Amino acid sequence: QVHLMESGGGSVQAGGSLRLACSASGWTCGRNFMGWFRQAPGKEREGVAVILCALGSALYDPSVKGRFTISRDNANNTVYLEMSSLKPEDTAVYYCAAEWRGALNALSSDEYNYWGQGTQVTVSS
């Protein structure tokens, strides 16, 4: 059984930083993708950043590029999201996702088989 455990959410002021972590059990990333998505109240879930574990190649949504960095620790099957220069519009529940199906854009939330429970990130102005 695959389980994704997220940690690291919280509340910060605009301009601050947070680090999210997602540890996977029951599944190994290998040559697949893991990543982060978010959903703000009243909005659809959107892709934030994903990483191809074998190569470390990353894709970012333009709204976070240059502010967020995704990385992975393959030995521990863990993916991180370093978030800096946070803005109030980054406020959302952040979800970890794993195992891209490969049909569409890897930043599409419709393309992942496994999901974590989500962790709240709140950025105040």
Side-chain angles (χ1 to χ4, degrees), residues 62-103:
S63 68
V64 306
K65 202 166 186 179
R67 300 188 298 121
F68 292 10
T69 302
I70 190 170
S71 61
R72 89 287 190 216
D73 177 353
N74 289 339
N76 292 302
N77 225 23
T78 299
V79 172
Y80 302 96
L81 186 69
E82 299 273 0
M83 305 184 292
S84 61
S85 301
L86 282 161
K87 304 175 181 179
E89 51 263 44
D90 294 318
T91 295
V93 177
Y94 283 69
Y95 296 90
C96 178
E99 193 169 272
W100 178 51
R101 296 192 190 104

PDB file of all heavy atoms in Angstrom, residues 62-103:
ATOM      1  N   PRO A  62       4.995  28.662 -13.678  1.00  0.00           N
ATOM      2  CA  PRO A  62       5.622  29.981 -13.790  1.00  0.00           C
ATOM      3  C   PRO A  62       5.427  30.870 -12.561  1.00  0.00           C
ATOM      4  O   PRO A  62       6.288  31.705 -12.259  1.00  0.00           O
ATOM      5  CB  PRO A  62       4.938  30.587 -15.021  1.00  0.00           C
ATOM      6  CG  PRO A  62       4.536  29.412 -15.834  1.00  0.00           C
ATOM      7  CD  PRO A  62       4.166  28.349 -14.846  1.00  0.00           C
ATOM      8  N   SER A  63       4.351  30.688 -11.845  1.00  0.00           N
ATOM      9  CA  SER A  63       4.074  31.560 -10.690  1.00  0.00           C
ATOM     10  C   SER A  63       5.044  31.333  -9.536  1.00  0.00           C
ATOM     11  O   SER A  63       5.147  32.188  -8.641  1.00  0.00           O
ATOM     12  CB  SER A  63       2.646  31.350 -10.209  1.00  0.00           C
ATOM     13  OG  SER A  63       2.485  30.053  -9.651  1.00  0.00           O
ATOM     14  N   VAL A  64       5.743  30.205  -9.526  1.00  0.00           N
ATOM     15  CA  VAL A  64       6.653  29.914  -8.418  1.00  0.00           C
ATOM     16  C   VAL A  64       8.104  29.821  -8.859  1.00  0.00           C
ATOM     17  O   VAL A  64       9.007  29.735  -8.011  1.00  0.00           O
ATOM     18  CB  VAL A  64       6.261  28.602  -7.705  1.00  0.00           C
ATOM     19  CG1 VAL A  64       4.799  28.648  -7.263  1.00  0.00           C
ATOM     20  CG2 VAL A  64       6.539  27.383  -8.562  1.00  0.00           C
ATOM     21  N   LYS A  65       8.347  29.831 -10.146  1.00  0.00           N
ATOM     22  CA  LYS A  65       9.716  29.687 -10.640  1.00  0.00           C
ATOM     23  C   LYS A  65      10.582  30.811 -10.122  1.00  0.00           C
ATOM     24  O   LYS A  65      10.200  31.984 -10.162  1.00  0.00           O
ATOM     25  CB  LYS A  65       9.713  29.658 -12.168  1.00  0.00           C
ATOM     26  CG  LYS A  65      10.943  29.015 -12.761  1.00  0.00           C
ATOM     27  CD  LYS A  65      10.746  28.704 -14.236  1.00  0.00           C
ATOM     28  CE  LYS A  65      11.924  27.927 -14.774  1.00  0.00           C
ATOM     29  NZ  LYS A  65      11.767  27.577 -16.207  1.00  0.00           N
ATOM     30  N   GLY A  66      11.749  30.444  -9.597  1.00  0.00           N
ATOM     31  CA  GLY A  66      12.652  31.431  -9.025  1.00  0.00           C
ATOM     32  C   GLY A  66      12.436  31.649  -7.536  1.00  0.00           C
ATOM     33  O   GLY A  66      13.295  32.231  -6.866  1.00  0.00           O
ATOM     34  N   ARG A  67      11.306  31.171  -7.023  1.00  0.00           N
ATOM     35  CA  ARG A  67      11.012  31.313  -5.589  1.00  0.00           C
ATOM     36  C   ARG A  67      10.973  29.955  -4.888  1.00  0.00           C
ATOM     37  O   ARG A  67      11.330  29.859  -3.715  1.00  0.00           O
ATOM     38  CB  ARG A  67       9.672  32.017  -5.387  1.00  0.00           C
ATOM     39  CG  ARG A  67       9.603  33.410  -5.970  1.00  0.00           C
ATOM     40  CD  ARG A  67       8.312  34.123  -5.557  1.00  0.00           C
ATOM     41  NE  ARG A  67       7.117  33.452  -6.048  1.00  0.00           N
ATOM     42  CZ  ARG A  67       6.148  32.981  -5.249  1.00  0.00           C
ATOM     43  NH1 ARG A  67       6.230  33.112  -3.938  1.00  0.00           N
ATOM     44  NH2 ARG A  67       5.082  32.394  -5.780  1.00  0.00           N
ATOM     45  N   PHE A  68      10.521  28.943  -5.597  1.00  0.00           N
ATOM     46  CA  PHE A  68      10.411  27.608  -5.023  1.00  0.00           C
ATOM     47  C   PHE A  68      11.463  26.701  -5.654  1.00  0.00           C
ATOM     48  O   PHE A  68      11.778  26.828  -6.843  1.00  0.00           O
ATOM     49  CB  PHE A  68       9.035  27.007  -5.290  1.00  0.00           C
ATOM     50  CG  PHE A  68       7.894  27.664  -4.571  1.00  0.00           C
ATOM     51  CD1 PHE A  68       8.044  28.859  -3.879  1.00  0.00           C
ATOM     52  CD2 PHE A  68       6.634  27.083  -4.587  1.00  0.00           C
ATOM     53  CE1 PHE A  68       6.971  29.458  -3.220  1.00  0.00           C
ATOM     54  CE2 PHE A  68       5.566  27.651  -3.938  1.00  0.00           C
ATOM     55  CZ  PHE A  68       5.736  28.847  -3.261  1.00  0.00           C
ATOM     56  N   THR A  69      11.957  25.762  -4.858  1.00  0.00           N
ATOM     57  CA  THR A  69      12.906  24.770  -5.370  1.00  0.00           C
ATOM     58  C   THR A  69      12.478  23.382  -4.905  1.00  0.00           C
ATOM     59  O   THR A  69      12.303  23.169  -3.702  1.00  0.00           O
ATOM     60  CB  THR A  69      14.329  25.046  -4.877  1.00  0.00           C
ATOM     61  OG1 THR A  69      14.736  26.358  -5.290  1.00  0.00           O
ATOM     62  CG2 THR A  69      15.304  24.031  -5.461  1.00  0.00           C
ATOM     63  N   ILE A  70      12.327  22.478  -5.846  1.00  0.00           N
ATOM     64  CA  ILE A  70      12.000  21.091  -5.518  1.00  0.00           C
ATOM     65  C   ILE A  70      13.275  20.265  -5.584  1.00  0.00           C
ATOM     66  O   ILE A  70      14.130  20.491  -6.463  1.00  0.00           O
ATOM     67  CB  ILE A  70      10.911  20.535  -6.462  1.00  0.00           C
ATOM     68  CG1 ILE A  70      10.412  19.181  -5.967  1.00  0.00           C
ATOM     69  CG2 ILE A  70      11.392  20.473  -7.904  1.00  0.00           C
ATOM     70  CD1 ILE A  70       9.170  18.674  -6.703  1.00  0.00           C
ATOM     71  N   SER A  71      13.413  19.343  -4.653  1.00  0.00           N
ATOM     72  CA  SER A  71      14.571  18.457  -4.647  1.00  0.00           C
ATOM     73  C   SER A  71      14.134  17.091  -4.140  1.00  0.00           C
ATOM     74  O   SER A  71      13.020  16.933  -3.633  1.00  0.00           O
ATOM     75  CB  SER A  71      15.685  19.027  -3.772  1.00  0.00           C
ATOM     76  OG  SER A  71      15.259  19.170  -2.431  1.00  0.00           O
ATOM     77  N   ARG A  72      15.023  16.100  -4.280  1.00  0.00           N
ATOM     78  CA  ARG A  72      14.652  14.772  -3.821  1.00  0.00           C
ATOM     79  C   ARG A  72      15.833  14.092  -3.150  1.00  0.00           C
ATOM     80  O   ARG A  72      16.993  14.378  -3.450  1.00  0.00           O
ATOM     81  CB  ARG A  72      14.085  13.914  -4.977  1.00  0.00           C
ATOM     82  CG  ARG A  72      15.109  13.097  -5.784  1.00  0.00           C
ATOM     83  CD  ARG A  72      15.941  13.956  -6.666  1.00  0.00           C
ATOM     84  NE  ARG A  72      16.750  13.164  -7.592  1.00  0.00           N
ATOM     85  CZ  ARG A  72      17.960  13.494  -7.971  1.00  0.00           C
ATOM     86  NH1 ARG A  72      18.520  14.600  -7.499  1.00  0.00           N
ATOM     87  NH2 ARG A  72      18.629  12.750  -8.834  1.00  0.00           N
ATOM     88  N   ASP A  73      15.508  13.171  -2.271  1.00  0.00           N
ATOM     89  CA  ASP A  73      16.481  12.301  -1.631  1.00  0.00           C
ATOM     90  C   ASP A  73      16.058  10.882  -1.998  1.00  0.00           C
ATOM     91  O   ASP A  73      15.171  10.316  -1.368  1.00  0.00           O
ATOM     92  CB  ASP A  73      16.445  12.538  -0.120  1.00  0.00           C
ATOM     93  CG  ASP A  73      17.390  11.611   0.642  1.00  0.00           C
ATOM     94  OD1 ASP A  73      17.973  10.686   0.017  1.00  0.00           O
ATOM     95  OD2 ASP A  73      17.530  11.796   1.858  1.00  0.00           O
ATOM     96  N   ASN A  74      16.672  10.345  -3.020  1.00  0.00           N
ATOM     97  CA  ASN A  74      16.247   9.043  -3.517  1.00  0.00           C
ATOM     98  C   ASN A  74      16.481   7.933  -2.496  1.00  0.00           C
ATOM     99  O   ASN A  74      15.705   6.977  -2.434  1.00  0.00           O
ATOM    100  CB  ASN A  74      16.965   8.714  -4.825  1.00  0.00           C
ATOM    101  CG  ASN A  74      16.477   9.559  -5.984  1.00  0.00           C
ATOM    102  OD1 ASN A  74      15.380  10.105  -5.957  1.00  0.00           O
ATOM    103  ND2 ASN A  74      17.294   9.686  -7.024  1.00  0.00           N
ATOM    104  N   ALA A  75      17.516   8.071  -1.711  1.00  0.00           N
ATOM    105  CA  ALA A  75      17.814   7.030  -0.730  1.00  0.00           C
ATOM    106  C   ALA A  75      16.685   6.888   0.291  1.00  0.00           C
ATOM    107  O   ALA A  75      16.425   5.790   0.792  1.00  0.00           O
ATOM    108  CB  ALA A  75      19.125   7.345  -0.028  1.00  0.00           C
ATOM    109  N   ASN A  76      16.032   8.015   0.590  1.00  0.00           N
ATOM    110  CA  ASN A  76      14.952   8.000   1.576  1.00  0.00           C
ATOM    111  C   ASN A  76      13.576   8.182   0.949  1.00  0.00           C
ATOM    112  O   ASN A  76      12.590   8.339   1.671  1.00  0.00           O
ATOM    113  CB  ASN A  76      15.187   9.095   2.620  1.00  0.00           C
ATOM    114  CG  ASN A  76      16.396   8.812   3.489  1.00  0.00           C
ATOM    115  OD1 ASN A  76      16.448   7.781   4.147  1.00  0.00           O
ATOM    116  ND2 ASN A  76      17.372   9.706   3.469  1.00  0.00           N
ATOM    117  N   ASN A  77      13.533   8.157  -0.383  1.00  0.00           N
ATOM    118  CA  ASN A  77      12.255   8.259  -1.101  1.00  0.00           C
ATOM    119  C   ASN A  77      11.457   9.485  -0.652  1.00  0.00           C
ATOM    120  O   ASN A  77      10.243   9.400  -0.390  1.00  0.00           O
ATOM    121  CB  ASN A  77      11.432   6.984  -0.892  1.00  0.00           C
ATOM    122  CG  ASN A  77      10.811   6.482  -2.174  1.00  0.00           C
ATOM    123  OD1 ASN A  77      11.263   6.777  -3.274  1.00  0.00           O
ATOM    124  ND2 ASN A  77       9.744   5.721  -2.037  1.00  0.00           N
ATOM    125  N   THR A  78      12.166  10.609  -0.557  1.00  0.00           N
ATOM    126  CA  THR A  78      11.579  11.833  -0.029  1.00  0.00           C
ATOM    127  C   THR A  78      11.787  12.971  -1.023  1.00  0.00           C
ATOM    128  O   THR A  78      12.846  13.075  -1.638  1.00  0.00           O
ATOM    129  CB  THR A  78      12.202  12.195   1.324  1.00  0.00           C
ATOM    130  OG1 THR A  78      11.949  11.133   2.248  1.00  0.00           O
ATOM    131  CG2 THR A  78      11.606  13.484   1.875  1.00  0.00           C
ATOM    132  N   VAL A  79      10.761  13.793  -1.152  1.00  0.00           N
ATOM    133  CA  VAL A  79      10.825  14.979  -1.989  1.00  0.00           C
ATOM    134  C   VAL A  79      10.591  16.203  -1.111  1.00  0.00           C
ATOM    135  O   VAL A  79       9.764  16.169  -0.192  1.00  0.00           O
ATOM    136  CB  VAL A  79       9.759  14.916  -3.102  1.00  0.00           C
ATOM    137  CG1 VAL A  79       9.679  16.231  -3.848  1.00  0.00           C
ATOM    138  CG2 VAL A  79      10.098  13.811  -4.083  1.00  0.00           C
ATOM    139  N   TYR A  80      11.323  17.263  -1.410  1.00  0.00           N
ATOM    140  CA  TYR A  80      11.225  18.502  -0.640  1.00  0.00           C
ATOM    141  C   TYR A  80      10.771  19.652  -1.538  1.00  0.00           C
ATOM    142  O   TYR A  80      11.005  19.642  -2.752  1.00  0.00           O
ATOM    143  CB  TYR A  80      12.583  18.859  -0.039  1.00  0.00           C
ATOM    144  CG  TYR A  80      13.151  17.787   0.844  1.00  0.00           C
ATOM    145  CD1 TYR A  80      14.064  16.856   0.349  1.00  0.00           C
ATOM    146  CD2 TYR A  80      12.781  17.692   2.181  1.00  0.00           C
ATOM    147  CE1 TYR A  80      14.586  15.866   1.145  1.00  0.00           C
ATOM    148  CE2 TYR A  80      13.301  16.697   2.997  1.00  0.00           C
ATOM    149  CZ  TYR A  80      14.202  15.799   2.478  1.00  0.00           C
ATOM    150  OH  TYR A  80      14.712  14.814   3.279  1.00  0.00           O
ATOM    151  N   LEU A  81      10.153  20.631  -0.913  1.00  0.00           N
ATOM    152  CA  LEU A  81       9.819  21.868  -1.606  1.00  0.00           C
ATOM    153  C   LEU A  81      10.254  23.024  -0.719  1.00  0.00           C
ATOM    154  O   LEU A  81       9.670  23.264   0.334  1.00  0.00           O
ATOM    155  CB  LEU A  81       8.317  21.965  -1.912  1.00  0.00           C
ATOM    156  CG  LEU A  81       7.918  23.165  -2.763  1.00  0.00           C
ATOM    157  CD1 LEU A  81       8.458  23.015  -4.188  1.00  0.00           C
ATOM    158  CD2 LEU A  81       6.392  23.332  -2.800  1.00  0.00           C
ATOM    159  N   GLU A  82      11.316  23.695  -1.152  1.00  0.00           N
ATOM    160  CA  GLU A  82      11.783  24.885  -0.464  1.00  0.00           C
ATOM    161  C   GLU A  82      11.045  26.081  -1.046  1.00  0.00           C
ATOM    162  O   GLU A  82      11.143  26.352  -2.246  1.00  0.00           O
ATOM    163  CB  GLU A  82      13.284  25.066  -0.670  1.00  0.00           C
ATOM    164  CG  GLU A  82      14.133  23.942  -0.134  1.00  0.00           C
ATOM    165  CD  GLU A  82      14.487  24.134   1.333  1.00  0.00           C
ATOM    166  OE1 GLU A  82      14.069  25.138   1.939  1.00  0.00           O
ATOM    167  OE2 GLU A  82      15.193  23.264   1.875  1.00  0.00           O
ATOM    168  N   MET A  83      10.314  26.799  -0.207  1.00  0.00           N
ATOM    169  CA  MET A  83       9.531  27.930  -0.661  1.00  0.00           C
ATOM    170  C   MET A  83      10.078  29.194  -0.018  1.00  0.00           C
ATOM    171  O   MET A  83      10.169  29.274   1.212  1.00  0.00           O
ATOM    172  CB  MET A  83       8.059  27.741  -0.288  1.00  0.00           C
ATOM    173  CG  MET A  83       7.466  26.432  -0.798  1.00  0.00           C
ATOM    174  SD  MET A  83       5.707  26.278  -0.445  1.00  0.00           S
ATOM    175  CE  MET A  83       5.748  26.123   1.341  1.00  0.00           C
ATOM    176  N   SER A  84      10.428  30.158  -0.830  1.00  0.00           N
ATOM    177  CA  SER A  84      10.932  31.425  -0.319  1.00  0.00           C
ATOM    178  C   SER A  84      10.182  32.572  -0.991  1.00  0.00           C
ATOM    179  O   SER A  84       9.460  32.357  -1.958  1.00  0.00           O
ATOM    180  CB  SER A  84      12.433  31.550  -0.560  1.00  0.00           C
ATOM    181  OG  SER A  84      12.717  31.513  -1.943  1.00  0.00           O
ATOM    182  N   SER A  85      10.381  33.754  -0.461  1.00  0.00           N
ATOM    183  CA  SER A  85       9.679  34.944  -0.963  1.00  0.00           C
ATOM    184  C   SER A  85       8.193  34.663  -1.090  1.00  0.00           C
ATOM    185  O   SER A  85       7.554  34.991  -2.104  1.00  0.00           O
ATOM    186  CB  SER A  85      10.254  35.377  -2.321  1.00  0.00           C
ATOM    187  OG  SER A  85      11.629  35.669  -2.211  1.00  0.00           O
ATOM    188  N   LEU A  86       7.646  34.054  -0.067  1.00  0.00           N
ATOM    189  CA  LEU A  86       6.241  33.645  -0.120  1.00  0.00           C
ATOM    190  C   LEU A  86       5.318  34.848  -0.200  1.00  0.00           C
ATOM    191  O   LEU A  86       5.586  35.907   0.386  1.00  0.00           O
ATOM    192  CB  LEU A  86       5.900  32.791   1.094  1.00  0.00           C
ATOM    193  CG  LEU A  86       6.392  31.348   0.996  1.00  0.00           C
ATOM    194  CD1 LEU A  86       6.455  30.693   2.369  1.00  0.00           C
ATOM    195  CD2 LEU A  86       5.487  30.544   0.069  1.00  0.00           C
ATOM    196  N   LYS A  87       4.226  34.656  -0.934  1.00  0.00           N
ATOM    197  CA  LYS A  87       3.229  35.703  -1.143  1.00  0.00           C
ATOM    198  C   LYS A  87       1.885  35.225  -0.603  1.00  0.00           C
ATOM    199  O   LYS A  87       1.641  34.012  -0.533  1.00  0.00           O
ATOM    200  CB  LYS A  87       3.088  35.983  -2.640  1.00  0.00           C
ATOM    201  CG  LYS A  87       4.386  36.353  -3.339  1.00  0.00           C
ATOM    202  CD  LYS A  87       4.170  36.490  -4.836  1.00  0.00           C
ATOM    203  CE  LYS A  87       5.457  36.823  -5.558  1.00  0.00           C
ATOM    204  NZ  LYS A  87       5.253  36.947  -7.027  1.00  0.00           N
ATOM    205  N   PRO A  88       1.002  36.136  -0.260  1.00  0.00           N
ATOM    206  CA  PRO A  88      -0.330  35.713   0.202  1.00  0.00           C
ATOM    207  C   PRO A  88      -1.030  34.792  -0.796  1.00  0.00           C
ATOM    208  O   PRO A  88      -1.769  33.887  -0.376  1.00  0.00           O
ATOM    209  CB  PRO A  88      -1.063  37.045   0.365  1.00  0.00           C
ATOM    210  CG  PRO A  88       0.016  38.018   0.702  1.00  0.00           C
ATOM    211  CD  PRO A  88       1.196  37.582  -0.116  1.00  0.00           C
ATOM    212  N   GLU A  89      -0.792  34.986  -2.076  1.00  0.00           N
ATOM    213  CA  GLU A  89      -1.437  34.137  -3.080  1.00  0.00           C
ATOM    214  C   GLU A  89      -0.876  32.720  -3.116  1.00  0.00           C
ATOM    215  O   GLU A  89      -1.414  31.864  -3.823  1.00  0.00           O
ATOM    216  CB  GLU A  89      -1.357  34.772  -4.476  1.00  0.00           C
ATOM    217  CG  GLU A  89       0.031  35.210  -4.887  1.00  0.00           C
ATOM    218  CD  GLU A  89       0.263  36.694  -4.641  1.00  0.00           C
ATOM    219  OE1 GLU A  89      -0.126  37.185  -3.552  1.00  0.00           O
ATOM    220  OE2 GLU A  89       0.853  37.346  -5.530  1.00  0.00           O
ATOM    221  N   ASP A  90       0.172  32.457  -2.351  1.00  0.00           N
ATOM    222  CA  ASP A  90       0.674  31.085  -2.219  1.00  0.00           C
ATOM    223  C   ASP A  90      -0.118  30.298  -1.173  1.00  0.00           C
ATOM    224  O   ASP A  90       0.098  29.092  -1.020  1.00  0.00           O
ATOM    225  CB  ASP A  90       2.157  31.085  -1.828  1.00  0.00           C
ATOM    226  CG  ASP A  90       3.051  31.659  -2.909  1.00  0.00           C
ATOM    227  OD1 ASP A  90       2.836  31.342  -4.096  1.00  0.00           O
ATOM    228  OD2 ASP A  90       3.980  32.420  -2.557  1.00  0.00           O
ATOM    229  N   THR A  91      -0.991  30.968  -0.459  1.00  0.00           N
ATOM    230  CA  THR A  91      -1.803  30.304   0.559  1.00  0.00           C
ATOM    231  C   THR A  91      -2.676  29.231  -0.071  1.00  0.00           C
ATOM    232  O   THR A  91      -3.427  29.496  -1.017  1.00  0.00           O
ATOM    233  CB  THR A  91      -2.686  31.323   1.287  1.00  0.00           C
ATOM    234  OG1 THR A  91      -1.849  32.238   2.012  1.00  0.00           O
ATOM    235  CG2 THR A  91      -3.640  30.636   2.254  1.00  0.00           C
ATOM    236  N   ALA A  92      -2.557  28.009   0.437  1.00  0.00           N
ATOM    237  CA  ALA A  92      -3.290  26.873  -0.116  1.00  0.00           C
ATOM    238  C   ALA A  92      -2.983  25.638   0.713  1.00  0.00           C
ATOM    239  O   ALA A  92      -2.089  25.657   1.569  1.00  0.00           O
ATOM    240  CB  ALA A  92      -2.879  26.622  -1.570  1.00  0.00           C
ATOM    241  N   VAL A  93      -3.731  24.592   0.449  1.00  0.00           N
ATOM    242  CA  VAL A  93      -3.340  23.266   0.929  1.00  0.00           C
ATOM    243  C   VAL A  93      -2.398  22.680  -0.113  1.00  0.00           C
ATOM    244  O   VAL A  93      -2.744  22.636  -1.301  1.00  0.00           O
ATOM    245  CB  VAL A  93      -4.556  22.352   1.140  1.00  0.00           C
ATOM    246  CG1 VAL A  93      -4.098  20.965   1.579  1.00  0.00           C
ATOM    247  CG2 VAL A  93      -5.500  22.961   2.169  1.00  0.00           C
ATOM    248  N   TYR A  94      -1.248  22.265   0.330  1.00  0.00           N
ATOM    249  CA  TYR A  94      -0.244  21.695  -0.569  1.00  0.00           C
ATOM    250  C   TYR A  94      -0.285  20.173  -0.462  1.00  0.00           C
ATOM    251  O   TYR A  94      -0.223  19.615   0.643  1.00  0.00           O
ATOM    252  CB  TYR A  94       1.142  22.229  -0.217  1.00  0.00           C
ATOM    253  CG  TYR A  94       1.358  23.635  -0.717  1.00  0.00           C
ATOM    254  CD1 TYR A  94       0.661  24.705  -0.159  1.00  0.00           C
ATOM    255  CD2 TYR A  94       2.223  23.900  -1.775  1.00  0.00           C
ATOM    256  CE1 TYR A  94       0.819  25.993  -0.635  1.00  0.00           C
ATOM    257  CE2 TYR A  94       2.403  25.183  -2.254  1.00  0.00           C
ATOM    258  CZ  TYR A  94       1.703  26.226  -1.682  1.00  0.00           C
ATOM    259  OH  TYR A  94       1.867  27.516  -2.158  1.00  0.00           O
ATOM    260  N   TYR A  95      -0.362  19.528  -1.609  1.00  0.00           N
ATOM    261  CA  TYR A  95      -0.449  18.075  -1.680  1.00  0.00           C
ATOM    262  C   TYR A  95       0.778  17.495  -2.374  1.00  0.00           C
ATOM    263  O   TYR A  95       1.237  18.023  -3.399  1.00  0.00           O
ATOM    264  CB  TYR A  95      -1.686  17.647  -2.469  1.00  0.00           C
ATOM    265  CG  TYR A  95      -3.001  18.033  -1.864  1.00  0.00           C
ATOM    266  CD1 TYR A  95      -3.610  19.245  -2.177  1.00  0.00           C
ATOM    267  CD2 TYR A  95      -3.647  17.184  -0.959  1.00  0.00           C
ATOM    268  CE1 TYR A  95      -4.828  19.603  -1.617  1.00  0.00           C
ATOM    269  CE2 TYR A  95      -4.867  17.537  -0.400  1.00  0.00           C
ATOM    270  CZ  TYR A  95      -5.436  18.746  -0.737  1.00  0.00           C
ATOM    271  OH  TYR A  95      -6.645  19.100  -0.173  1.00  0.00           O
ATOM    272  N   CYS A  96       1.254  16.409  -1.821  1.00  0.00           N
ATOM    273  CA  CYS A  96       2.291  15.632  -2.476  1.00  0.00           C
ATOM    274  C   CYS A  96       1.627  14.618  -3.402  1.00  0.00           C
ATOM    275  O   CYS A  96       0.582  14.047  -3.060  1.00  0.00           O
ATOM    276  CB  CYS A  96       3.125  14.912  -1.421  1.00  0.00           C
ATOM    277  SG  CYS A  96       4.421  13.866  -2.073  1.00  0.00           S
ATOM    278  N   ALA A  97       2.232  14.392  -4.558  1.00  0.00           N
ATOM    279  CA  ALA A  97       1.701  13.424  -5.518  1.00  0.00           C
ATOM    280  C   ALA A  97       2.832  12.559  -6.042  1.00  0.00           C
ATOM    281  O   ALA A  97       3.985  13.003  -6.114  1.00  0.00           O
ATOM    282  CB  ALA A  97       1.006  14.138  -6.663  1.00  0.00           C
ATOM    283  N   ALA A  98       2.480  11.348  -6.435  1.00  0.00           N
ATOM    284  CA  ALA A  98       3.487  10.419  -6.937  1.00  0.00           C
ATOM    285  C   ALA A  98       2.918   9.544  -8.037  1.00  0.00           C
ATOM    286  O   ALA A  98       1.723   9.275  -8.079  1.00  0.00           O
ATOM    287  CB  ALA A  98       4.002   9.543  -5.801  1.00  0.00           C
ATOM    288  N   GLU A  99       3.796   9.101  -8.887  1.00  0.00           N
ATOM    289  CA  GLU A  99       3.533   8.205 -10.011  1.00  0.00           C
ATOM    290  C   GLU A  99       2.699   8.856 -11.105  1.00  0.00           C
ATOM    291  O   GLU A  99       1.470   8.739 -11.166  1.00  0.00           O
ATOM    292  CB  GLU A  99       2.906   6.890  -9.567  1.00  0.00           C
ATOM    293  CG  GLU A  99       2.931   5.834 -10.685  1.00  0.00           C
ATOM    294  CD  GLU A  99       2.567   4.466 -10.183  1.00  0.00           C
ATOM    295  OE1 GLU A  99       3.467   3.747  -9.734  1.00  0.00           O
ATOM    296  OE2 GLU A  99       1.372   4.134 -10.250  1.00  0.00           O
ATOM    297  N   TRP A 100       3.409   9.514 -11.987  1.00  0.00           N
ATOM    298  CA  TRP A 100       2.810  10.163 -13.155  1.00  0.00           C
ATOM    299  C   TRP A 100       2.389   9.094 -14.163  1.00  0.00           C
ATOM    300  O   TRP A 100       3.139   8.173 -14.470  1.00  0.00           O
ATOM    301  CB  TRP A 100       3.856  11.084 -13.775  1.00  0.00           C
ATOM    302  CG  TRP A 100       3.459  11.809 -15.008  1.00  0.00           C
ATOM    303  CD1 TRP A 100       2.345  12.560 -15.194  1.00  0.00           C
ATOM    304  CD2 TRP A 100       4.207  11.876 -16.222  1.00  0.00           C
ATOM    305  NE1 TRP A 100       2.353  13.105 -16.448  1.00  0.00           N
ATOM    306  CE2 TRP A 100       3.480  12.712 -17.109  1.00  0.00           C
ATOM    307  CE3 TRP A 100       5.414  11.331 -16.649  1.00  0.00           C
ATOM    308  CZ2 TRP A 100       3.925  13.005 -18.404  1.00  0.00           C
ATOM    309  CZ3 TRP A 100       5.873  11.624 -17.922  1.00  0.00           C
ATOM    310  CH2 TRP A 100       5.123  12.451 -18.791  1.00  0.00           C
ATOM    311  N   ARG A 101       1.196   9.248 -14.712  1.00  0.00           N
ATOM    312  CA  ARG A 101       0.692   8.251 -15.658  1.00  0.00           C
ATOM    313  C   ARG A 101       1.312   8.400 -17.034  1.00  0.00           C
ATOM    314  O   ARG A 101       1.275   7.484 -17.833  1.00  0.00           O
ATOM    315  CB  ARG A 101      -0.832   8.363 -15.758  1.00  0.00           C
ATOM    316  CG  ARG A 101      -1.551   8.055 -14.472  1.00  0.00           C
ATOM    317  CD  ARG A 101      -3.045   7.897 -14.705  1.00  0.00           C
ATOM    318  NE  ARG A 101      -3.760   7.826 -13.430  1.00  0.00           N
ATOM    319  CZ  ARG A 101      -4.457   8.829 -12.927  1.00  0.00           C
ATOM    320  NH1 ARG A 101      -4.543   9.979 -13.562  1.00  0.00           N
ATOM    321  NH2 ARG A 101      -5.066   8.683 -11.765  1.00  0.00           N
ATOM    322  N   GLY A 102       1.823   9.588 -17.326  1.00  0.00           N
ATOM    323  CA  GLY A 102       2.590   9.739 -18.551  1.00  0.00           C
ATOM    324  C   GLY A 102       1.832  10.186 -19.775  1.00  0.00           C
ATOM    325  O   GLY A 102       2.410  10.280 -20.857  1.00  0.00           O
ATOM    326  N   ALA A 103       0.544  10.486 -19.651  1.00  0.00           N
ATOM    327  CA  ALA A 103      -0.219  10.836 -20.844  1.00  0.00           C
ATOM    328  C   ALA A 103      -0.191  12.330 -21.136  1.00  0.00           C
ATOM    329  O   ALA A 103      -0.129  12.749 -22.287  1.00  0.00           O
ATOM    330  CB  ALA A 103      -1.657  10.353 -20.712  1.00  0.00           C
TER     331      ALA A 103
END
